[in-house]
Amino acid sequence: MKASLIDKPWFNTPTMHPLWMGVIGFLVNLFGLFFLGWKLETVVWLLWFEVIFIVGASLIRAFFALQGKPFFSTLLMRVFWTGAGAFLGIAFIMLTVTFTIKGIDTDSKDNSGVAGLQPQIIVLLVNYLAGLVLNYFANGSFKMAHPAGELMKTFVYLLVLLAIIMPVTMHLLPKYPAWSDSKWVGLAVASAKFLVDMGFNRAGRIKEVQVSSQD
């Protein structure tokens, strides 16, 4: 007999970044770099959209994190955390732009970096929505989640991501401006995000195993 969906490890593990989400995001970048002629600029544009999706998903998770209680009993607290998360999320989006804008040709007026990205943006949006629905609501993770914990996971993730990408975009590119036209630098940025995704996915699985062993 085939195992049902609720028996699948990828479905049951309460992680913010399921393995398949990171793989899909990485494949989108790989396809663009090697088949659509993308360079670093396009990868950075797409990264900005992903950060917006990540922050948006975290706010939804925070608002519906019930802590094992009825929906309305913790509503005011969840509204507070969601509002605070929105302000902090905007700050992280601005930090992302600040730390990666060296990879964008701000003197160009043709917006070639973002032109034609609508299909990839839609794929990534569906990717994050699917992760939210399948790995948060459908498996019941939201019932015991804490709003502050959901926000903290997101912002720690973004801090780690920016700390890894910043040396390339803030330090190497000003010294070697020609690198901004290299797809290999774009691949390095996309690979860095993929590794962070895999790392957080792994960390979530280890935590789940530890909690299960204690029970």
Side-chain angles (χ1 to χ4, degrees), residues 8 36 85 113 117 119 122 129 134 136 159 178:
K8 301 290 186 180
L36 300 179
L117 278 181
I122 292 173
L129 287 176
L134 293 175
Y136 190 65
L159 274 176

Side-chain angles (χ1 to χ4, degrees), residues 20 53 121-131:
W20 55 270
F53 297 154
I121 292 172
I122 292 173
V123 169
L124 291 176
L125 176 59
V126 172
N127 191 32
Y128 281 95
L129 287 176

Side-chain angles (χ1 to χ4, degrees), residues 114-184:
V114 74
L117 278 181
Q118 290 85 351
Q120 288 79 18
I121 292 172
I122 292 173
V123 169
L124 291 176
L125 176 59
V126 172
N127 191 32
Y128 281 95
L129 287 176
L132 187 63
V133 171
L134 293 175
N135 282 86
Y136 190 65
F137 290 110
N139 65 4
S141 295
F142 73 99
K143 295 178 182 178
M144 300 305 298
H146 192 289
E150 296 304 314
L151 294 172
M152 185 63 66
K153 287 189 293 186
T154 299
F155 297 137
V156 169
Y157 165 85
L158 291 176
L159 274 176
V160 173
L161 178 63
L162 293 178
I164 293 176
I165 293 178
M166 186 176 62
V168 176
T169 57
M170 292 291 290
H171 300 291
L172 290 180
L173 286 183
K175 293 182 178 180
Y176 308 99
W179 285 15
S180 61
D181 292 329
S182 171
K183 68 180 178 182
W184 299 108

Side-chain angles (χ1 to χ4, degrees), residues 35-206:
F35 295 97
L36 300 179
W38 288 3
K39 298 177 182 178
L40 174 62
E41 181 174 6
T42 311
V43 173
V44 171
W45 275 112
L46 211 59
L47 175 65
W48 291 358
F49 281 99
E50 283 205 71
V51 171
I52 293 172
F53 297 154
I54 290 168
V55 171
S58 73
L59 297 181
I60 295 174
R61 291 200 312 271
F63 183 77
F64 289 98
L66 300 183
Q67 299 178 262
K69 300 178 182 178
F71 181 84
F72 290 103
S73 66
T74 58
L75 181 60
L76 290 179
M77 183 190 70
R78 287 184 283 111
V79 169
F80 167 77
W81 280 112
T82 304
F87 282 106
L88 197 55
I90 292 173
F92 268 93
I93 292 171
M94 294 175 64
L95 277 176
T96 303
V97 173
T98 300
F99 288 163
T100 59
I101 200 168
K102 295 293 185 181
I104 298 290
D105 184 6
T106 54
D107 295 329
S108 176
K109 297 181 180 180
D110 61 2
N111 292 324
S112 59
V114 74
L117 278 181
Q118 290 85 351
Q120 288 79 18
I121 292 172
I122 292 173
V123 169
L124 291 176
L125 176 59
V126 172
N127 191 32
Y128 281 95
L129 287 176
L132 187 63
V133 171
L134 293 175
N135 282 86
Y136 190 65
F137 290 110
N139 65 4
S141 295
F142 73 99
K143 295 178 182 178
M144 300 305 298
H146 192 289
E150 296 304 314
L151 294 172
M152 185 63 66
K153 287 189 293 186
T154 299
F155 297 137
V156 169
Y157 165 85
L158 291 176
L159 274 176
V160 173
L161 178 63
L162 293 178
I164 293 176
I165 293 178
M166 186 176 62
V168 176
T169 57
M170 292 291 290
H171 300 291
L172 290 180
L173 286 183
K175 293 182 178 180
Y176 308 99
W179 285 15
S180 61
D181 292 329
S182 171
K183 68 180 178 182
W184 299 108
V185 179
L187 178 61
V189 172
S191 299
K193 184 182 181 302
F194 177 68
L195 291 175
V196 174
D197 287 345
M198 295 302 98
F200 272 75
N201 174 264
R202 179 64 176 171
R205 290 179 178 275
I206 293 175

